[in-house]
Amino acid sequence: MMDDRKAAILRAVVECYIREAQPVSSAHVTELGNLGVSPATVRNDMAVLEQEGYLLQPHASAGRVPTDKGYRFFVDSLAGPAPLGPAQAELVRMFFARTHGELEHLLHETSELLSKLTDYAAVVVAPNAPEPGRVRSFQLVKLSRRVVLALAVLGNGAVERRSLELPADIEEAQVQQASAALAASLVGSHLERAGSMPRTGDVAVDNLMSMTLQALRKPDPDAAEHVFVGGAARMAAAFDAVSTIRQVLGILEQQFVLVSLLKDVLDRGLSVAIGTEHGLAPLADCSVVVAPYDVDGERAGTVGILGPTRMHYDQAMTAVAVVSKQLTKALSEGGGSGRRTRQKATAEAPVPASPGPAPAGAGRGAARGPRFEGNGHG
Amino acid sequence: MMDDRKAAILRAVVECYIREAQPVSSAHVTELGNLGVSPATVRNDMAVLEQEGYLLQPHASAGRVPTDKGYRFFVDSLAGPAPLGPAQAELVRMFFARTHGELEHLLHETSELLSKLTDYAAVVVAPNAPEPGRVRSFQLVKLSRRVVLALAVLGNGAVERRSLELPADIEEAQVQQASAALAASLVGSHLERAGSMPRTGDVAVDNLMSMTLQALRKPDPDAAEHVFVGGAARMAAAFDAVSTIRQVLGILEQQFVLVSLLKDVLDRGLSVAIGTEHGLAPLADCSVVVAPYDVDGERAGTVGILGPTRMHYDQAMTAVAVVSKQLTKALSEGGGSGRRTRQKATAEAPVPASPGPAPAGAGRGAARGPRFEGNGHG
DNA sequence: CTCTGGCACTCAAGGTTACCGAGCGCCAGG
DNA sequence: CCTGGCGCTCGGTAACCTTGAGTGCCAGAG
């Protein structure tokens, strides 16, 4: 059904189309595919590939163009991890060497890095759960008669804050009492494991404490899912229809949709979703490459890129994998969102450079699991 | 040089071109401009207007199109504040009625509001200076042997955080000592007025304290200039050349450039910059409408929109003015970035609604000063 | 002096035709 | 099973014409 030659032809068509964005003819394939057969033979095979749904002809006398299914086969049959080019490897190295500062800032810049690496739009989803780690410090601050601010500094330096609106006025002394009691109970333990507080006898204080615990346990409603999008302009270059650009931009602006999209793709065990494989109609001409990153061993967020279906999958996948890997490293080693001390990452786990057999398995490993389990080319 | 009729003709051409995006003919002007003259007369005047640089012809047998200078004249001669449409007024009302939550969140949503109101891309620049107000609470938290986190809660509920990297290891007790001393000194006073600390005799503690003060006094290096862009997709709809969209998107992604642009326009006393009036070549086809907003009486940040030179200036200016006004209100009244209590704004200062003579001066006042001082139509 | 109607001119846009050639499908022969 | 050849199809391009919108200019009227 899919002998070696047909596979080779399909691959050649996809590669060529990705490069040139134009229908690929049988002659073109024979030139580039260095399989020793004539165009006529290729034509026959291409006809079959079209019947099987891997290719299609825009019109009768044109070359062939890959379908989503064709891209899927191509991606699934990608084996060699395209190593990063030297210039790109350098970019990554530089970036993670000088990594520091606030989490948000880092993630924002990461989205730009990823976009620069791939020339597509990059998406970085921030960790949604309150970052783990023991509570280092806790405090309530009274802001106005009925508004109290709760501040917790976590082990990694992240600051969780919640503002509480009380049902009734409260005294400064009461706030302080609750603050002290909560601090005594919380500091040194984990936020999510915080149990209920003993009664103090003062109903206002008890109420404040239980509200605080409740608020701390669920994620910050304001923070929502923080998403960083980088390089939308680059994405625009990959399409030529203005309407397509509009639609894609529209999606990129809907943070919730974006997050769902990436999450959905990951949940299905994929690292690449091609064309209509993800459900979003406006992105029918787009593919998505994703990888999760971890913080302290727990899956925390997602990085991904969004480009045209005719994207450079190998490079994109490598870039995403490398960045997610490095991000995991950067976030786990030096500490979380507080100031991270300077990384030794460059020395320890070299970014795969271009030449040679390349220790690229390192960068790839994380993504390899999910990568080949597509609802493939059946 | 610019008699009433010519002015009327010019206005008619601009209005018409803004609506229809097509060269305007003399006949069209006579229809819409209800000045009682024939097309031939209009033609003559239009020829003069072209010589004077207000109009130009795309090609010989086409209608006229406004130049930047033409738009400038039009904008400067705009007098009546176009009131918001009822639907838009409702949007604004709703938005600021439910305003609450973190500053960043609010500003982000404001950019979407503004974009929705105008159908162009909206830009909101966050306040860069640490927010004013007395310090309510201060604390140092030791994160690791050499990293200490400084946390200050300001009067309006905003939290300033700085992480400090020390030159040498420090003890928990020393951090606590410095924390207590600083808290005693800072709480109740203003951050920027904080003087130097008395010596304690422990050089590490003294050093930590002075580093802290120093860090607190300058703005957060990580926060940089925070910019929120909303509705880039809407902007894309206003242009038809893909290359233009790319360029504009590119600018929208360069936060620094964006901030400079808005600041520059404001500094020049303008609230509208048309086409090439701002220096950015890629934005030659764009106009910018800006207005500052205040926090506690001090100019804090900027809101603005970016659209095609043929934008609906009156509506855009109104929207920007109203939003900046309301933002000022929201940020000053209920407190800053902490939870703001529910606004009474709607009752107190009604958003100018559509019908009637409209108390629109309210929404306009803020912007009127700067508005008419362009390097005009000389 | 100003405005108007008329007329000739210009030029982009749209439609028609014809041509070219890339690329396929098919088939007969090796 | 592969190959070379032949005929067919159709998109793309160019040349051409027509159309009509819109101008510029001018002579005449108010």
Side-chain angles (χ1 to χ4, degrees):
Chain A
M1 202 100 220
M2 176 64 87
D3 54 77
D4 287 356
R5 193 179 61 200
K6 290 228 291 289
I9 290 173
L10 178 50
R11 271 193 296 273
V13 171
V14 173
E15 275 168 18
C16 187
Y17 186 70
I18 286 175
R19 269 205 313 279
E20 327 208 343
Q22 277 177 354
V24 184
S25 73
S26 54
H28 218 136
V29 171
T30 52
E31 287 169 23
L32 302 172
N34 67 355
L35 13 88
V37 294
S38 78
T41 308
V42 173
R43 275 204 292 279
N44 290 330
D45 282 355
M46 279 166 76
V48 177
L49 284 170
E50 178 165 6
Q51 279 182 345
E52 292 174 350
Y54 293 102
L55 297 177
L56 66 77
Q57 257 178 318
H59 58 88
S61 78
R64 296 314 207 287
V65 161
T67 61
D68 290 353
K69 189 178 172 187
Y71 285 119
R72 168 51 65 190
F73 177 88
F74 175 78
V75 168
D76 287 341
S77 73
L78 266 182
L84 286 179
Q88 300 180 315
E90 184 60 18
L91 256 181
V92 176
R93 201 191 323 272
M94 293 292 292
F95 180 83
F96 283 103
R98 66 176 175 76
T99 176
H100 65 74
E102 244 192 298
L103 177 63
E104 308 236 318
H105 200 229
L106 171 65
L107 295 181
H108 186 213
E109 295 209 321
T110 300
S111 74
E112 282 184 9
L113 169 71
L114 196 47
S115 171
K116 219 175 279 173
L117 286 175
T118 58
D119 248 15
Y120 303 120
V123 180
V124 175
V125 182
N128 48 2
E131 312 201 15
R134 293 174 181 279
V135 178
R136 289 205 193 235
S137 162
F138 177 84
Q139 194 177 14
L140 290 178
V141 179
K142 186 181 167 200
L143 291 183
S144 69
R145 287 183 311 170
R146 293 198 183 182
V147 180
V148 172
L149 181 69
L151 276 181
V153 180
L154 301 184
N156 52 14
V159 176
E160 286 288 323
R161 50 177 291 183
R162 302 282 188 283
S163 41
L164 310 167
E165 195 160 5
L166 304 179
D169 293 3
I170 196 165
E171 295 298 321
E172 176 74 35
Q174 294 173 307
V175 174
Q176 299 224 354
Q177 187 186 349
S179 181
L182 283 166
S185 157
L186 289 174
V187 170
S189 73
H190 284 71
L191 256 196
E192 52 280 18
R193 296 198 207 124
S196 59
M197 298 294 298
R199 299 270 152 195
T200 62
D202 184 333
V203 61
V205 172
D206 288 348
N207 185 30
L208 172 56
M209 292 200 300
S210 74
M211 277 185 71
T212 307
L213 286 177
Q214 204 179 341
L216 284 173
R217 246 175 259 141
K218 56 187 169 191
D220 188 347
D222 282 338
E225 299 270 21
H226 249 158
V227 182
F228 302 92
V229 175
R234 290 193 184 85
M235 179 280 311
F239 298 96
D240 34 49
V242 177
S243 67
T244 311
I245 296 179
R246 271 213 64 189
Q247 289 183 320
V248 176
L249 273 184
I251 296 282
L252 284 177
E253 282 179 358
Q254 296 173 46
Q255 307 202 338
F256 179 75
V257 175
L258 260 189
V259 173
S260 315
L261 169 62
L262 297 201
K263 188 164 151 31
D264 184 52
V265 173
L266 268 186
D267 284 352
R268 283 162 57 192
L270 297 170
S271 81
V272 180
I274 298 164
T276 54
E277 287 179 5
H278 50 72
L280 296 180
L283 297 188
D285 296 332
C286 296
S287 284
V288 172
V289 179
V290 295
Y293 65 88
D294 304 347
V295 173
D296 295 330
E298 298 233 333
R299 178 156 304 188
T302 316
V303 301
I305 62 147
L306 191 152
T309 46
R310 43 173 288 279
M311 77 163 59
H312 293 277
Y313 288 99
D314 49 357
Q315 293 171 29
M317 288 164 71
T318 306
V320 168
V322 167
V323 168
S324 80
K325 191 87 190 299
Q326 294 292 109
L327 201 52
T328 294
K329 246 181 136 46
L331 293 181
S332 302
E333 265 180 17
S337 69
R339 181 175 198 85
R340 276 179 299 289
T341 51
R342 200 142 293 108
Q343 297 288 314
K344 300 140 295 181
T346 47
E348 273 180 41
V351 171
S354 61
R364 242 9 174 11
R368 170 162 281 147
R371 244 185 66 225
F372 297 99
E373 292 147 28
N375 54 353
H377 38 287
Chain B
M1 201 101 224
M2 175 64 87
D3 54 75
D4 287 356
R5 194 178 62 200
K6 290 230 290 290
I9 290 174
L10 177 50
R11 270 195 296 275
V13 170
V14 173
E15 276 170 18
C16 188
Y17 186 70
I18 286 176
R19 267 205 315 279
E20 326 208 341
Q22 277 176 354
V24 183
S25 72
S26 54
H28 218 136
V29 170
T30 51
E31 289 168 23
L32 302 172
N34 66 358
L35 14 87
V37 293
S38 79
T41 309
V42 173
R43 275 204 290 280
N44 291 330
D45 281 355
M46 279 165 76
V48 177
L49 284 170
E50 179 165 6
Q51 279 183 344
E52 293 174 350
Y54 294 103
L55 298 176
L56 66 76
Q57 259 178 317
H59 58 86
S61 79
R64 297 317 207 285
V65 159
T67 60
D68 289 353
K69 190 178 173 189
Y71 285 119
R72 167 53 65 192
F73 177 88
F74 174 77
V75 168
D76 285 342
S77 72
L78 265 182
L84 286 179
Q88 299 180 315
E90 185 59 18
L91 256 181
V92 175
R93 202 192 321 272
M94 292 294 291
F95 180 83
F96 283 102
R98 67 176 175 74
T99 178
H100 66 75
E102 245 191 299
L103 176 64
E104 308 237 315
H105 199 229
L106 170 65
L107 294 181
H108 185 212
E109 295 210 321
T110 301
S111 75
E112 284 185 6
L113 169 70
L114 197 46
S115 170
K116 219 174 280 174
L117 286 175
T118 58
D119 248 15
Y120 304 120
V123 181
V124 175
V125 182
N128 48 2
E131 313 200 16
R134 292 172 182 282
V135 178
R136 289 205 194 234
S137 161
F138 178 84
Q139 192 178 14
L140 290 178
V141 180
K142 187 181 166 203
L143 290 183
S144 69
R145 288 183 311 173
R146 291 197 184 183
V147 180
V148 172
L149 180 71
L151 276 181
V153 181
L154 301 185
N156 51 15
V159 175
E160 286 288 324
R161 49 176 292 183
R162 301 284 188 281
S163 42
L164 310 167
E165 196 161 3
L166 304 179
D169 293 2
I170 195 166
E171 294 297 322
E172 177 72 34
Q174 294 174 306
V175 175
Q176 298 224 354
Q177 187 185 351
S179 181
L182 283 166
S185 156
L186 289 173
V187 170
S189 74
H190 283 72
L191 258 194
E192 53 277 21
R193 295 198 208 126
S196 59
M197 299 294 299
R199 298 270 152 196
T200 63
D202 183 332
V203 61
V205 172
D206 287 348
N207 185 27
L208 172 57
M209 293 199 300
S210 74
M211 278 184 69
T212 306
L213 285 178
Q214 203 178 344
L216 283 174
R217 245 174 260 140
K218 56 187 168 190
D220 188 347
D222 282 338
E225 298 271 21
H226 249 158
V227 182
F228 302 91
V229 176
R234 289 194 183 83
M235 177 279 312
F239 298 97
D240 35 50
V242 177
S243 66
T244 311
I245 296 179
R246 272 213 62 189
Q247 289 183 320
V248 176
L249 275 183
I251 296 282
L252 283 178
E253 283 180 358
Q254 296 173 47
Q255 307 202 337
F256 179 75
V257 175
L258 213 46
V259 173
S260 316
L261 168 62
L262 298 201
K263 188 163 150 33
D264 184 52
V265 173
L266 268 186
D267 284 352
R268 284 162 56 195
L270 296 171
S271 81
V272 180
I274 297 165
T276 54
E277 287 179 6
H278 50 72
L280 297 178
L283 297 188
D285 297 332
C286 296
S287 283
V288 173
V289 179
V290 295
Y293 64 88
D294 303 347
V295 174
D296 294 332
E298 298 235 331
R299 179 157 302 188
T302 316
V303 300
I305 63 148
L306 190 152
T309 45
R310 45 171 289 277
M311 75 163 59
H312 293 278
Y313 288 98
D314 48 357
Q315 293 170 30
M317 289 163 71
T318 306
V320 168
V322 168
V323 168
S324 80
K325 191 86 189 299
Q326 294 292 108
L327 201 52
T328 294
K329 244 181 138 47
L331 293 180
S332 303
E333 265 181 18
S337 70
R339 180 174 198 84
R340 276 179 301 289
T341 51
R342 199 143 292 110
Q343 298 288 313
K344 298 141 293 180
T346 48
E348 274 177 41
V351 171
S354 61
R364 240 14 178 2
R368 169 161 284 147
R371 245 184 65 224
F372 296 99
E373 291 147 29
N375 54 353
H377 39 285

